[in-house]
Amino acid sequence: MSIANTIQKNVIVALSVLHNQLFTEKNFQINQTKPEFEGDYTIVLFSLVKSLKQSPDAIGNQLGQYLLNTSPELFVGFNIIKGFLNLSISNAFWTTLLQKNYSNIHFGKKENYGKKVMVEYSSPNTNKPLHLGHLRNNFLGWSIAEIYKASGYEVIKSCIVNDRGIHICKSMIAWQKYADGATPQSTGIKGDHLVGDYYVRFENDLKAESQILINKIKLADLSDFNGVVLEKLDKLLITLTKLDEIKDEEKITKLHNEIKEIARNSTQVIAEAKQMLLDWEEDKPEVIELWKKMNGWVYEGFDATYKLIGSDFDKIYYESKTYLLGKYIVQQGLDKSVFFKKEDGSIWIDLTADGLDEKLVQRKDGTSVYITQDIGLALQKYEEYKIDNSIYVIGNEQNYHMKVLQLICKKLDMPNADNIFHLSYGMVELTTGKMKSREGTVVDADDLVDEMIATSQKHTEELGKVKNFTAEELKDLYNTIGLGAMKFYLLRVDPKKTMVFNPEESIDFHGFTGPFVQYTHARIKSILRKESLADYQQPLASSDLLKMEKEVIVMLEQYPDAIKQATIEYNPSVIAMYVFNLAKTFNSFYAEHSIANAETTDKKQLRLQLATMTANILKSGMELLGIRVPERM
RNA sequence: GACUUGGUAGCUCAGCUGGAUAGAGCAUCAGCCUUCUAAGCUGAGGGUCAUUGGUUCGAAUCCAAUCCAGGUCACCA
């Protein structure tokens, strides 16, 4: 139990005894004492004034005295300033804590207690390479998995590969048309990038063809259209003329977008893609073969990237395999009247009673949509692993989709539908604005990682501290630092929030960064290498503590709480901030006091233990972020 | 338009289950390497916590309204 909790319990008992009534942790607040006052922890007394009808000073004096009398081993003094009761904790408590835990590399982590959680993350599309946003996703997913493990969960890391759907057909069609048999081997281009190039090629064709249609529509030439679409266009054009007269810009833009959408959907290339999707779902051999070939290239590319960034999965699901289960469940749901069929054959769910809309779950041509396979997968996960909780690491642009999915799972009476949690993270923007693939402002994951590693190499060489490293050790070090900087940079902010990626800031190795923490660790290790173990394994003779020594131990004590908070909030940034603050506190201590040349042997021993435990926790905490710490740098 | 998330120092972010004089990092300026790794340490300047009103002994934090920005509302995924 943390010291803050211990104090809380003591205060509850004390108040209950002193005032002969029941108190809970909600009746008062406990904080760390601000540095400008004497004491370690502070009880805010104002909230007690009303119910006890006594002055803050009187309540505080009574409480402080009682705590001192009943737990003299823990409390050694108190003072009251303006309604705040500041309690001083005994040095013996801190030194005992240190002595007991300094060599425990599992400090702060809990034993497995039998709960299973699945963390789904990464979930790439197999039509383009990974970019900066995927990196945030991957790092978050990995870190959440590690944090849950540390909290005693059994964790299964999973990934759903979106290897099916009309977007996949797009790159296949462009490849058929333009590639002339080009492969990653023949071109020397990484597989995922090669396929991505053809996806872009398709999008360009689509844009060009739909532009021709739009131009014709603007001239009121509707000869390319017929049926329902023609009727709709007719109506749109009439409304547009009216709007032009009253100059309602907003609505005009909206209508233009609708026309654009119709034009895109009426193009020859889209028709080809749609046909290919149908052929695909009907298992036409030539489509399946092409799909397998191109998917294979993408996986090779992804594998290389995953290996580079240190991401992996215990279970990989493929949409191409789960969509059938999804369709099956949709059929079952139809029989149970959870879903309903419209005249044209499309299948829907009515969520208007829940404040949402009607949602399509299967197209009129019988092919499945995005959510169809998600329904299948949700069930499959539970049946395969009997998991207690399911965490989805998915961008906040899909909040609505996930809300719908959860609702559908509930309506289908799926087990544990309530234990689905969408870890919704914000987009990564650039200093110049949003990333847009169409404008070529997307930051490619492979490029970025390479650049970070190159920067760490340049920086390390300039500092010239690594003369006796082997070539292999150097390579490993550059990787550790470069990736450490990048992961820390992406994980140090609250996942929920949209964040700005500043290239210059991201390669900064000073201050609130991964390399700062790594450096602190390496520096401690350097000292410990020079000291013999025997020097710091004796019991401490004295519990004298300097201010800065105590500050470090107080930080160390809070590690378990940081893990707990990160778990509850699904928030790795809690760990990043904690680890940074610990390193900072230690560095201040380090600059003021010598470890190797401490004043007495007892002091030296205390400081060696302090340094050891700090290094252990820095390593452990960074591991929760998926970041390695070097022994030397 | 509806729903939703956010607005804190020049920049990037903490703090938000109400508590003492609102904190970091970067950037700027001034110091610290004949002693354990200076990727470090110390100090200075920098704030109408979007605005207005409310609740409270006490509001960056809770409530309401307004303004601004992002996201979603597809037979795309």
Side-chain angles (χ1 to χ4, degrees):
Chain A
M1 187 164 42
S2 72
I3 179 69
N5 278 335
T6 308
I7 295 172
Q8 193 176 60
K9 287 248 160 72
N10 275 295
V11 171
I12 289 172
V13 171
L15 285 172
S16 304
V17 170
L18 284 170
H19 301 282
N20 204 20
Q21 53 174 292
L22 224 60
F23 286 86
T24 69
E25 66 276 4
K26 282 180 184 145
N27 294 109
F28 60 91
Q29 273 185 7
I30 173 162
N31 302 331
Q32 252 186 290
T33 305
K34 302 239 167 193
E36 56 269 33
F37 301 100
E38 198 192 320
D40 298 306
Y41 284 87
T42 296
I43 313 292
V44 184
L45 301 166
F46 295 105
S47 51
L48 298 164
V49 169
K50 233 178 216 171
S51 62
L52 297 180
K53 298 199 175 63
Q54 290 179 31
S55 74
D57 276 16
I59 299 169
N61 264 313
Q62 254 183 337
L63 180 59
Q65 202 56 57
Y66 184 93
L67 290 172
L68 222 57
N69 291 340
T70 50
S71 310
E73 74 292 345
L74 190 58
F75 302 105
V76 290
F78 70 90
N79 64 79
I80 297 161
I81 299 167
K82 292 196 287 180
F84 296 89
L85 169 62
N86 301 320
L87 297 163
S88 296
I89 306 298
S90 77
N91 281 343
F93 170 82
W94 299 115
T95 51
T96 308
L97 179 102
L98 179 65
Q99 182 103 38
K100 254 166 80 181
N101 296 297
Y102 76 93
S103 63
N104 176 12
I105 56 168
H106 300 294
F107 180 75
K109 296 187 177 175
K110 287 198 181 131
E111 294 285 313
N112 186 322
Y113 67 102
K115 287 265 186 191
K116 251 190 219 180
V117 60
M118 179 174 276
V119 181
E120 178 194 297
Y121 68 104
S122 196
S123 311
N125 282 326
T126 57
N127 62 340
K128 33 186 168 177
L130 306 174
H131 60 68
L132 182 52
H134 294 116
L135 290 179
R136 190 179 196 189
N137 180 308
N138 270 278
F139 300 156
L140 270 174
W142 176 278
S143 182
I144 286 297
E146 290 303 312
I147 288 167
Y148 267 75
K149 279 183 202 165
S151 284
Y153 285 79
E154 182 184 339
V155 177
I156 300 140
K157 288 180 287 185
S158 76
C159 173
I160 169 76
V161 180
N162 295 298
D163 60 348
R164 193 208 72 90
I166 198 146
H167 58 296
I168 306 294
C169 299
K170 289 178 179 177
S171 28
M172 293 203 284
I173 282 174
W175 186 84
Q176 276 182 329
K177 274 190 196 162
Y178 302 114
D180 196 21
T183 67
Q185 290 74 33
S186 75
T187 55
I189 300 172
K190 202 161 158 274
D192 49 338
H193 289 258
L194 183 74
V195 172
D197 290 345
Y198 286 102
Y199 180 79
V200 172
R201 192 85 187 252
F202 179 96
E203 285 295 328
N204 287 341
D205 280 4
L206 175 58
K207 203 174 168 185
E209 199 187 327
S210 59
Q211 192 57 51
I212 295 171
L213 285 177
I214 291 170
N215 291 344
K216 277 177 136 181
I217 295 169
K218 278 187 182 156
L219 296 169
D221 173 1
L222 302 184
S223 56
D224 292 303
F225 304 93
N226 55 44
V228 194
V229 180
L230 180 63
E231 271 175 44
K232 198 171 174 193
L233 265 180
D234 243 341
K235 270 187 205 159
L236 277 176
L237 283 178
I238 292 167
T239 338
L240 200 55
T241 332
K242 280 183 196 157
L243 285 173
D244 265 338
E245 283 162 21
I246 55 171
K247 300 223 183 302
D248 187 338
E249 290 298 336
E250 208 172 291
K251 279 188 183 162
I252 291 173
T253 331
K254 220 173 177 178
L255 285 188
H256 277 137
N257 282 336
E258 268 184 59
I259 291 173
K260 202 168 147 192
E261 205 50 46
I262 291 173
R264 282 170 66 93
N265 278 318
S266 309
T267 53
Q268 189 56 39
V269 281
I270 278 289
E272 286 171 34
K274 278 182 179 166
Q275 184 55 46
M276 188 179 257
L277 182 62
L278 271 174
D279 291 347
W280 191 96
E281 291 206 7
E282 278 166 18
D283 275 336
K284 288 232 171 119
E286 65 271 23
V287 177
I288 298 291
E289 203 180 301
L290 175 63
W291 169 76
K292 278 187 180 160
K293 180 165 71 180
M294 290 183 71
N295 256 319
W297 298 342
V298 174
Y299 295 147
E300 275 171 35
F302 283 174
D303 281 349
T305 305
Y306 283 140
K307 204 175 165 196
L308 186 61
I309 64 173
S311 221
D312 70 2
F313 308 97
D314 303 308
K315 174 74 187 180
I316 297 178
Y317 292 102
Y318 296 92
E319 185 184 340
S320 55
K321 293 189 180 132
T322 58
Y323 85 100
L324 285 173
L325 179 59
K327 280 170 114 172
Y328 173 71
I329 294 174
V330 167
Q331 275 309 317
Q332 276 193 325
L334 201 53
D335 298 339
K336 283 192 272 179
S337 301
V338 175
F339 304 119
F340 67 93
K341 201 175 227 171
K342 287 198 177 173
E343 281 171 16
D344 62 5
S346 57
I347 302 177
W348 299 72
I349 185 164
D350 183 3
L351 299 173
T352 45
D354 300 279
L356 304 175
D357 249 329
E358 288 182 351
K359 180 89 182 171
L360 177 93
V361 294
Q362 188 172 306
R363 295 191 189 98
K364 65 184 169 206
D365 64 8
T367 57
S368 62
V369 288
Y370 181 40
I371 203 155
T372 321
Q373 63 93 13
D374 268 342
I375 299 168
L377 183 57
L379 185 65
Q380 197 177 342
K381 282 179 177 178
Y382 283 114
E383 303 216 317
E384 258 182 20
Y385 289 97
K386 306 286 174 231
I387 48 178
D388 299 288
N389 296 79
S390 195
I391 300 173
Y392 290 75
V393 183
I394 303 178
N396 63 11
E397 60 200 350
Q398 297 198 33
N399 284 352
Y400 182 76
H401 172 83
M402 287 306 292
K403 210 166 150 187
V404 170
L405 175 66
Q406 193 160 6
L407 215 46
I408 291 178
C409 289
K410 267 186 210 174
K411 291 196 187 277
L412 288 168
D413 285 328
M414 280 197 200
N416 286 317
D418 286 322
N419 294 335
I420 289 176
F421 179 80
H422 174 201
L423 172 48
S424 158
Y425 64 91
M427 300 290 102
V428 184
E429 290 182 1
L430 305 176
T431 39
T432 49
K434 272 185 270 178
M435 283 199 291
K436 284 178 184 159
S437 42
R438 264 174 264 157
E439 288 162 31
T441 53
V442 173
V443 177
D444 180 75
D446 293 322
D447 292 349
L448 184 61
V449 173
D450 289 346
E451 200 186 312
M452 294 296 293
I453 292 171
T455 308
S456 79
Q457 173 169 0
K458 188 173 150 251
H459 217 87
T460 308
E461 282 167 356
E462 277 168 12
L463 289 170
K465 294 179 185 176
V466 288
K467 301 239 158 59
N468 52 355
F469 277 56
T470 66
E472 205 169 311
E473 283 171 337
L474 278 177
K475 195 177 167 233
D476 195 49
L477 182 67
Y478 301 150
N479 266 278
T480 304
I481 298 174
L483 279 165
M486 191 169 64
K487 290 184 182 181
F488 200 93
Y489 183 80
L490 289 174
L491 288 175
R492 70 183 195 183
V493 304
D494 188 334
K496 287 194 293 290
K497 292 196 174 177
T498 303
M499 67 172 289
V500 175
F501 181 84
N502 182 333
E504 283 140 48
E505 213 174 84
S506 71
I507 54 169
D508 192 355
F509 293 167
H510 305 270
F512 188 19
T513 66
F516 172 92
V517 180
Q518 290 173 322
Y519 176 71
T520 307
H521 176 266
R523 202 155 62 166
I524 294 173
K525 285 294 179 163
S526 164
I527 296 169
L528 296 179
R529 248 176 271 128
K530 292 171 191 155
E531 303 295 334
S532 74
L533 264 174
D535 279 353
Y536 53 104
Q537 289 188 321
Q538 310 296 316
L540 291 171
S542 147
S543 63
D544 275 352
L545 278 180
L546 293 172
K547 186 164 169 282
M548 292 185 129
E549 293 166 338
K550 186 161 114 180
E551 277 169 9
V552 178
I553 305 178
V554 169
M555 278 303 298
L556 293 170
E557 194 272 338
Q558 290 169 3
Y559 183 49
D561 265 358
I563 296 179
K564 194 172 157 191
Q565 198 195 339
T567 309
I568 293 169
E569 294 178 6
Y570 301 89
N571 186 355
S573 78
V574 172
I575 301 292
M577 283 186 290
Y578 170 79
V579 141
F580 168 68
N581 281 325
L582 173 59
K584 208 166 119 74
T585 310
F586 181 86
N587 283 337
S588 296
F589 156 77
Y590 173 92
E592 282 294 315
H593 305 289
S594 174
I595 295 170
N597 300 315
E599 296 84 332
T600 65
T601 50
D602 200 49
K603 268 288 176 222
K604 179 169 174 179
Q605 193 186 322
L606 173 92
R607 289 179 190 169
L608 284 169
Q609 291 182 359
L610 194 75
T612 305
M613 190 162 173
T614 304
N616 285 343
I617 292 185
L618 290 180
K619 182 166 194 244
S620 163
M622 289 290 264
E623 274 167 3
L624 296 184
L625 302 174
I627 301 173
R628 293 187 297 155
V629 286
E631 297 288 310
R632 302 183 289 160
M633 69 186 274

